[in-house]
Amino acid sequence: MLKKTGKKGEDIAVSFLQQKKYKILDQNFCIRGGEIDIIAEKDEQIVFVEVKTRKNKKFGEIIEQISKNKQNFLINSANNYLFQKELTEKNWRIDVITVFLSDQEPKIEHIKNAITYL
């Protein structure tokens, strides 16, 4: 059930980004320790996107559920991806897209530069 909810949220996030003119480069990029949900490009910048999907707020705000370990993982994974794809000269950032599924239309929030790496 959890994987199904996450996949639905990722699909919604991809459509959202495409509507905003992002080019999707990769999805579910696996690396030791986990994966990056979406890798996109817009305006000559690589955007690594962590998607968080929930059906209720039982565990608090979605954005609060990204631990320091997860943040470090995303930063390291982004650097690894850039190195593997020979894109180290590109500007990049890490965004978070939260998808809250309810009986109505999904509520989407796009937080740009949610995780800083400097």
Short mmCIF file of all heavy atoms in Angstrom, two decimals, residues 50-85:
data_model
loop_
_atom_site.label_atom_id
_atom_site.label_comp_id
_atom_site.label_asym_id
_atom_site.label_seq_id
_atom_site.Cartn_x
_atom_site.Cartn_y
_atom_site.Cartn_z
N GLU A 50 13.02 15.24 -4.29
CA GLU A 50 12.53 14.26 -3.33
C GLU A 50 11.01 14.45 -3.24
O GLU A 50 10.53 15.56 -3.01
CB GLU A 50 13.18 14.50 -1.95
CG GLU A 50 12.63 13.66 -0.84
CD GLU A 50 12.98 12.18 -0.93
OE1 GLU A 50 13.79 11.78 -1.80
OE2 GLU A 50 12.45 11.41 -0.12
N VAL A 51 10.28 13.38 -3.47
CA VAL A 51 8.81 13.44 -3.43
C VAL A 51 8.34 12.78 -2.15
O VAL A 51 8.74 11.65 -1.83
CB VAL A 51 8.18 12.74 -4.65
CG1 VAL A 51 6.66 12.82 -4.58
CG2 VAL A 51 8.70 13.35 -5.95
N LYS A 52 7.51 13.48 -1.41
CA LYS A 52 6.91 12.95 -0.19
C LYS A 52 5.40 12.96 -0.38
O LYS A 52 4.81 14.01 -0.65
CB LYS A 52 7.29 13.78 1.04
CG LYS A 52 8.73 13.63 1.45
CD LYS A 52 8.97 12.25 1.95
CE LYS A 52 10.38 12.05 2.47
NZ LYS A 52 10.65 10.65 2.78
N THR A 53 4.78 11.80 -0.22
CA THR A 53 3.35 11.66 -0.44
C THR A 53 2.70 11.12 0.84
O THR A 53 3.21 10.18 1.44
CB THR A 53 3.07 10.67 -1.59
OG1 THR A 53 3.82 11.06 -2.73
CG2 THR A 53 1.59 10.66 -1.94
N ARG A 54 1.59 11.72 1.20
CA ARG A 54 0.85 11.26 2.38
C ARG A 54 -0.65 11.37 2.11
O ARG A 54 -1.10 12.17 1.29
CB ARG A 54 1.18 12.11 3.62
CG ARG A 54 2.62 12.02 4.07
CD ARG A 54 2.94 10.64 4.64
NE ARG A 54 4.31 10.56 5.09
CZ ARG A 54 5.35 10.19 4.35
NH1 ARG A 54 5.19 9.91 3.10
NH2 ARG A 54 6.56 10.12 4.85
N LYS A 55 -1.39 10.56 2.87
CA LYS A 55 -2.85 10.60 2.80
C LYS A 55 -3.45 11.32 4.00
O LYS A 55 -4.61 11.68 4.00
CB LYS A 55 -3.43 9.19 2.71
CG LYS A 55 -3.15 8.52 1.38
CD LYS A 55 -3.85 7.19 1.30
CE LYS A 55 -3.68 6.61 -0.09
NZ LYS A 55 -4.41 5.35 -0.25
N ASN A 56 -2.63 11.50 5.05
CA ASN A 56 -3.10 12.23 6.23
C ASN A 56 -1.89 12.90 6.90
O ASN A 56 -0.76 12.67 6.51
CB ASN A 56 -3.83 11.30 7.21
CG ASN A 56 -2.94 10.17 7.69
OD1 ASN A 56 -1.87 10.41 8.24
ND2 ASN A 56 -3.38 8.94 7.50
N LYS A 57 -2.18 13.71 7.88
CA LYS A 57 -1.10 14.43 8.57
C LYS A 57 -0.84 13.83 9.95
O LYS A 57 -0.39 14.52 10.86
CB LYS A 57 -1.45 15.91 8.66
CG LYS A 57 -1.48 16.57 7.30
CD LYS A 57 -1.58 18.06 7.38
CE LYS A 57 -1.57 18.63 5.96
NZ LYS A 57 -1.53 20.07 5.94
N LYS A 58 -1.07 12.54 10.07
CA LYS A 58 -0.90 11.84 11.35
C LYS A 58 0.52 11.99 11.89
O LYS A 58 0.74 12.04 13.09
CB LYS A 58 -1.26 10.37 11.14
CG LYS A 58 -1.18 9.53 12.37
CD LYS A 58 -1.82 8.16 12.25
CE LYS A 58 -1.56 7.45 10.95
NZ LYS A 58 -2.09 6.08 10.95
N PHE A 59 1.50 12.07 10.99
CA PHE A 59 2.89 12.15 11.42
C PHE A 59 3.44 13.56 11.29
O PHE A 59 4.64 13.76 11.22
CB PHE A 59 3.74 11.16 10.62
CG PHE A 59 3.30 9.74 10.80
CD1 PHE A 59 2.61 9.08 9.80
CD2 PHE A 59 3.55 9.07 11.99
CE1 PHE A 59 2.20 7.77 9.96
CE2 PHE A 59 3.13 7.77 12.17
CZ PHE A 59 2.45 7.11 11.15
N GLY A 60 2.59 14.56 11.22
CA GLY A 60 3.03 15.95 11.12
C GLY A 60 3.16 16.39 9.66
O GLY A 60 2.72 15.70 8.74
N GLU A 61 3.74 17.55 9.47
CA GLU A 61 3.93 18.09 8.14
C GLU A 61 4.89 17.20 7.35
O GLU A 61 5.88 16.72 7.89
CB GLU A 61 4.47 19.52 8.20
CG GLU A 61 3.47 20.52 8.73
CD GLU A 61 2.23 20.65 7.86
OE1 GLU A 61 2.34 20.66 6.62
OE2 GLU A 61 1.13 20.72 8.44
N ILE A 62 4.63 17.05 6.08
CA ILE A 62 5.42 16.14 5.25
C ILE A 62 6.88 16.56 5.20
O ILE A 62 7.78 15.74 5.34
CB ILE A 62 4.82 16.06 3.82
CG1 ILE A 62 3.40 15.49 3.89
CG2 ILE A 62 5.70 15.21 2.93
CD1 ILE A 62 2.66 15.52 2.56
N ILE A 63 7.14 17.84 5.02
CA ILE A 63 8.51 18.33 4.86
C ILE A 63 9.34 18.04 6.10
O ILE A 63 10.55 17.82 6.02
CB ILE A 63 8.54 19.84 4.51
CG1 ILE A 63 9.95 20.29 4.14
CG2 ILE A 63 7.98 20.69 5.62
CD1 ILE A 63 10.45 19.77 2.83
N GLU A 64 8.72 17.98 7.27
CA GLU A 64 9.44 17.71 8.52
C GLU A 64 9.97 16.28 8.58
O GLU A 64 10.78 15.96 9.45
CB GLU A 64 8.52 17.97 9.71
CG GLU A 64 8.09 19.41 9.85
CD GLU A 64 6.97 19.60 10.87
OE1 GLU A 64 6.48 18.60 11.43
OE2 GLU A 64 6.59 20.76 11.09
N GLN A 65 9.51 15.43 7.68
CA GLN A 65 9.89 14.03 7.73
C GLN A 65 11.16 13.71 6.95
O GLN A 65 11.51 12.55 6.78
CB GLN A 65 8.72 13.18 7.24
CG GLN A 65 7.52 13.32 8.16
CD GLN A 65 6.29 12.62 7.63
OE1 GLN A 65 6.40 11.67 6.88
NE2 GLN A 65 5.14 13.08 8.04
N ILE A 66 11.85 14.73 6.48
CA ILE A 66 13.12 14.51 5.78
C ILE A 66 14.24 14.71 6.79
O ILE A 66 14.59 15.84 7.15
CB ILE A 66 13.27 15.45 4.56
CG1 ILE A 66 12.11 15.21 3.59
CG2 ILE A 66 14.61 15.22 3.88
CD1 ILE A 66 12.07 16.15 2.42
N SER A 67 14.78 13.60 7.25
CA SER A 67 15.80 13.63 8.30
C SER A 67 17.11 14.22 7.79
O SER A 67 17.34 14.33 6.58
CB SER A 67 16.05 12.20 8.81
OG SER A 67 16.68 11.44 7.78
N LYS A 68 17.98 14.53 8.73
CA LYS A 68 19.32 15.02 8.37
C LYS A 68 20.08 13.95 7.58
O LYS A 68 20.78 14.28 6.62
CB LYS A 68 20.09 15.41 9.65
CG LYS A 68 21.31 16.23 9.37
CD LYS A 68 20.94 17.59 8.79
CE LYS A 68 22.14 18.46 8.64
NZ LYS A 68 21.90 19.58 7.74
N ASN A 69 19.91 12.68 7.95
CA ASN A 69 20.55 11.60 7.19
C ASN A 69 20.04 11.57 5.75
O ASN A 69 20.82 11.37 4.82
CB ASN A 69 20.30 10.24 7.86
CG ASN A 69 21.19 10.02 9.06
OD1 ASN A 69 22.18 10.72 9.25
ND2 ASN A 69 20.83 9.06 9.88
N LYS A 70 18.73 11.75 5.57
CA LYS A 70 18.15 11.74 4.21
C LYS A 70 18.70 12.95 3.43
O LYS A 70 19.01 12.83 2.24
CB LYS A 70 16.62 11.77 4.29
CG LYS A 70 15.94 11.76 2.94
CD LYS A 70 16.18 10.46 2.19
CE LYS A 70 15.34 10.40 0.93
NZ LYS A 70 15.39 9.11 0.25
N GLN A 71 18.80 14.08 4.08
CA GLN A 71 19.33 15.27 3.41
C GLN A 71 20.76 15.01 2.95
O GLN A 71 21.11 15.32 1.80
CB GLN A 71 19.29 16.48 4.35
CG GLN A 71 17.89 16.95 4.67
CD GLN A 71 17.88 18.08 5.68
OE1 GLN A 71 18.74 18.95 5.64
NE2 GLN A 71 16.91 18.07 6.58
N ASN A 72 21.58 14.45 3.82
CA ASN A 72 22.97 14.14 3.45
C ASN A 72 23.02 13.12 2.32
O ASN A 72 23.84 13.24 1.41
CB ASN A 72 23.75 13.64 4.67
CG ASN A 72 24.04 14.75 5.65
OD1 ASN A 72 24.13 15.92 5.29
ND2 ASN A 72 24.16 14.40 6.92
N PHE A 73 22.15 12.12 2.38
CA PHE A 73 22.07 11.12 1.32
C PHE A 73 21.76 11.80 -0.02
O PHE A 73 22.38 11.51 -1.04
CB PHE A 73 21.01 10.06 1.63
CG PHE A 73 20.69 9.20 0.44
CD1 PHE A 73 21.54 8.16 0.07
CD2 PHE A 73 19.58 9.46 -0.34
CE1 PHE A 73 21.26 7.39 -1.06
CE2 PHE A 73 19.30 8.69 -1.47
CZ PHE A 73 20.14 7.66 -1.83
N LEU A 74 20.78 12.71 -0.03
CA LEU A 74 20.39 13.39 -1.27
C LEU A 74 21.54 14.22 -1.84
O LEU A 74 21.79 14.22 -3.05
CB LEU A 74 19.15 14.26 -1.05
CG LEU A 74 17.86 13.49 -0.80
CD1 LEU A 74 16.77 14.43 -0.30
CD2 LEU A 74 17.41 12.78 -2.07
N ILE A 75 22.25 14.91 -0.97
CA ILE A 75 23.39 15.73 -1.41
C ILE A 75 24.47 14.84 -2.01
O ILE A 75 24.97 15.10 -3.12
CB ILE A 75 23.93 16.57 -0.24
CG1 ILE A 75 22.90 17.63 0.17
CG2 ILE A 75 25.27 17.21 -0.61
CD1 ILE A 75 23.18 18.28 1.52
N ASN A 76 24.82 13.77 -1.31
CA ASN A 76 25.85 12.85 -1.81
C ASN A 76 25.42 12.17 -3.11
O ASN A 76 26.22 11.99 -4.03
CB ASN A 76 26.21 11.81 -0.75
CG ASN A 76 26.92 12.42 0.43
OD1 ASN A 76 27.58 13.45 0.31
ND2 ASN A 76 26.78 11.82 1.60
N SER A 77 24.15 11.77 -3.18
CA SER A 77 23.63 11.11 -4.38
C SER A 77 23.62 12.06 -5.57
O SER A 77 23.92 11.66 -6.70
CB SER A 77 22.23 10.58 -4.12
OG SER A 77 22.25 9.62 -3.10
N ALA A 78 23.27 13.31 -5.33
CA ALA A 78 23.27 14.30 -6.40
C ALA A 78 24.69 14.47 -6.95
O ALA A 78 24.89 14.47 -8.18
CB ALA A 78 22.73 15.64 -5.88
N ASN A 79 25.65 14.59 -6.06
CA ASN A 79 27.04 14.71 -6.50
C ASN A 79 27.48 13.48 -7.29
O ASN A 79 28.16 13.59 -8.31
CB ASN A 79 27.97 14.93 -5.30
CG ASN A 79 28.00 16.37 -4.86
OD1 ASN A 79 28.18 17.27 -5.68
ND2 ASN A 79 27.79 16.61 -3.58
N ASN A 80 27.08 12.30 -6.84
CA ASN A 80 27.41 11.06 -7.51
C ASN A 80 26.79 11.03 -8.91
O ASN A 80 27.45 10.67 -9.89
CB ASN A 80 26.92 9.87 -6.68
CG ASN A 80 27.40 8.55 -7.22
OD1 ASN A 80 27.13 8.20 -8.37
ND2 ASN A 80 28.10 7.80 -6.39
N TYR A 81 25.53 11.41 -9.01
CA TYR A 81 24.84 11.44 -10.32
C TYR A 81 25.56 12.39 -11.28
O TYR A 81 25.82 12.04 -12.43
CB TYR A 81 23.39 11.87 -10.13
CG TYR A 81 22.61 11.94 -11.42
CD1 TYR A 81 21.94 10.82 -11.90
CD2 TYR A 81 22.53 13.11 -12.17
CE1 TYR A 81 21.23 10.87 -13.10
CE2 TYR A 81 21.83 13.17 -13.36
CZ TYR A 81 21.18 12.04 -13.82
OH TYR A 81 20.47 12.10 -15.00
N LEU A 82 25.87 13.58 -10.80
CA LEU A 82 26.54 14.57 -11.64
C LEU A 82 27.89 14.05 -12.13
O LEU A 82 28.26 14.25 -13.29
CB LEU A 82 26.72 15.88 -10.88
CG LEU A 82 25.42 16.62 -10.54
CD1 LEU A 82 25.68 17.71 -9.51
CD2 LEU A 82 24.77 17.19 -11.80
N PHE A 83 28.62 13.37 -11.26
CA PHE A 83 29.91 12.80 -11.63
C PHE A 83 29.72 11.69 -12.67
O PHE A 83 30.41 11.67 -13.69
CB PHE A 83 30.62 12.26 -10.38
CG PHE A 83 31.96 11.67 -10.69
CD1 PHE A 83 33.06 12.48 -10.94
CD2 PHE A 83 32.13 10.29 -10.74
CE1 PHE A 83 34.31 11.93 -11.23
CE2 PHE A 83 33.36 9.73 -11.03
CZ PHE A 83 34.45 10.54 -11.28
N GLN A 84 28.79 10.77 -12.42
CA GLN A 84 28.55 9.64 -13.34
C GLN A 84 28.15 10.12 -14.73
O GLN A 84 28.54 9.55 -15.73
CB GLN A 84 27.44 8.73 -12.80
CG GLN A 84 27.88 7.77 -11.74
CD GLN A 84 26.76 6.81 -11.39
OE1 GLN A 84 25.90 6.51 -12.20
NE2 GLN A 84 26.78 6.33 -10.16
N LYS A 85 27.32 11.16 -14.77
CA LYS A 85 26.79 11.65 -16.05
C LYS A 85 27.66 12.75 -16.66
O LYS A 85 27.28 13.36 -17.66
CB LYS A 85 25.36 12.18 -15.87
CG LYS A 85 24.39 11.17 -15.29
CD LYS A 85 24.12 10.04 -16.25
CE LYS A 85 23.10 9.07 -15.66
NZ LYS A 85 22.77 7.99 -16.54
#
